[in-house]
Amino acid sequence: MMLLSTRGLSKHFDGLQAVQDVDFDLPIGQVRALIGPNGAGKTTLVGMICGRIEPSEGRVFFDEVDITALPAHKRIMLGMAYTFQITSVFSRLPAAENVALAARRRLHGDKVDTAVKEALDQVGLLERMDQEAGDLSYGHQRLLEIAMGLVQKPRLLILDEPTQGLADSEITDFKNLIRELAGDTTILLIEHNMNVVMETADQVTVLNFGEVLAEGTPDEIHANAAVQAAYLGTG
């Protein structure tokens, strides 16, 4: 069963076609990587899926319900969580309070504290829970944002460049986290780090010039001549 689908999804800005006629299907429980060169339309496509960008044409379906007209906050209530390519934490608040703000969308009372500690522990930040978010390193702010997504127990977790700014050890921990979540949470991963893609994704969708160039397993994508020419820099 598909959790997320798009049909004919397109977006143009002043004549520039950023995304063109994208049909996309994401089954429940799958980890899907979305890759492509800079300017391929990945962020625009995800923005339309999340409700932050209005499509020029096409439809978005979540759990087989047409949500094209729903604003972003209502999509969150349906079970979408989206972490940004640029961190969006509240820098003057402690890490724990950042996560608590997200948790209170679905929880109350003591359950919030328990969920916050669990989410921070999942991303390796439990020991930094009282530290102001603005004092965290950039990589730790990215992990904090992931914790803010996880604490909502989303049905669909969308991660936009989550490993950007992470140290090698943190990337290893992130890959382990994705493996831990796989199956229970449907994940859409926008990622440039091909090692992360190859080691965590069940399926990969490649965008190029706003269109779907290829879809398949990581091995199939790595061996695809068109993908090699357009993105992987070989062939």
Side-chain angles (χ1 to χ4, degrees):
M1 181 177 174
M2 298 303 163
L3 180 62
L4 174 73
S5 297
T6 73
R7 289 295 177 266
L9 205 58
S10 303
K11 182 64 181 181
H12 53 78
F13 299 98
D14 297 325
L16 173 65
Q17 196 74 40
V19 173
Q20 177 63 44
D21 199 26
V22 169
D23 291 346
F24 179 84
D25 291 301
L26 179 57
I28 291 173
Q30 187 180 95
V31 178
R32 176 73 63 89
L34 179 64
I35 70 171
N38 289 331
K42 301 184 297 295
T43 298
T44 301
L45 175 60
V46 169
M48 290 189 286
I49 289 170
C50 295
R52 299 180 182 278
I53 297 175
E54 183 178 354
S56 302
E57 298 173 2
R59 317 300 294 174
V60 180
F61 300 89
F62 190 71
D63 206 10
E64 301 185 341
V65 175
D66 189 337
I67 62 167
T68 310
L70 281 186
H73 71 275
K74 291 192 175 180
R75 299 187 195 199
I76 291 172
M77 293 171 64
L78 290 177
M80 282 191 187
Y82 176 35
T83 70
F84 294 89
Q85 186 173 4
I86 301 171
T87 54
S88 57
V89 301
F90 295 96
S91 61
R92 301 294 294 274
L93 295 178
E97 184 58 26
N98 271 271
V99 181
L101 287 171
R104 291 186 189 113
R105 290 173 175 165
R106 70 178 186 90
L107 297 172
H108 303 283
D110 293 341
K111 292 181 179 179
V112 172
D113 291 338
T114 300
V116 166
K117 290 177 181 177
E118 179 182 313
L120 286 170
D121 190 40
Q122 278 186 292
V123 301
L125 292 180
L126 185 58
E127 293 181 357
R128 299 178 185 271
M129 63 181 294
D130 296 323
Q131 190 171 342
E132 282 192 10
D135 292 337
L136 296 172
S137 68
Y138 178 77
H140 285 158
Q141 288 184 33
R142 300 309 312 272
L143 293 172
L144 176 59
E145 195 181 36
I146 293 172
M148 293 165 67
L150 289 175
V151 80
Q152 298 173 57
K153 297 295 183 185
R155 300 182 65 199
L156 172 62
L157 179 61
I158 303 175
L159 302 172
D160 195 348
E161 300 290 351
T163 64
Q164 183 178 315
L166 297 188
D168 288 345
S169 61
E170 292 167 339
I171 291 175
T172 298
D173 289 343
F174 172 79
K175 290 186 287 190
N176 291 334
L177 174 62
I178 295 300
R179 294 188 190 103
E180 177 186 324
L181 295 172
D184 294 329
T185 305
T186 307
I187 298 172
L188 178 57
L189 176 68
I190 300 91
E191 182 57 71
H192 275 106
N193 187 320
M194 288 306 297
N195 287 330
V196 173
V197 170
M198 294 295 290
E199 292 182 31
T200 62
D202 300 312
Q203 292 280 312
V204 181
T205 298
V206 185
L207 281 189
N208 194 36
F209 296 112
E211 298 181 342
V212 175
L213 176 65
E215 285 188 328
T217 66
D219 286 341
E220 289 169 343
I221 292 300
H222 193 264
N224 186 299
V227 175
Q228 290 175 357
Y231 182 52
L232 300 179
T234 60

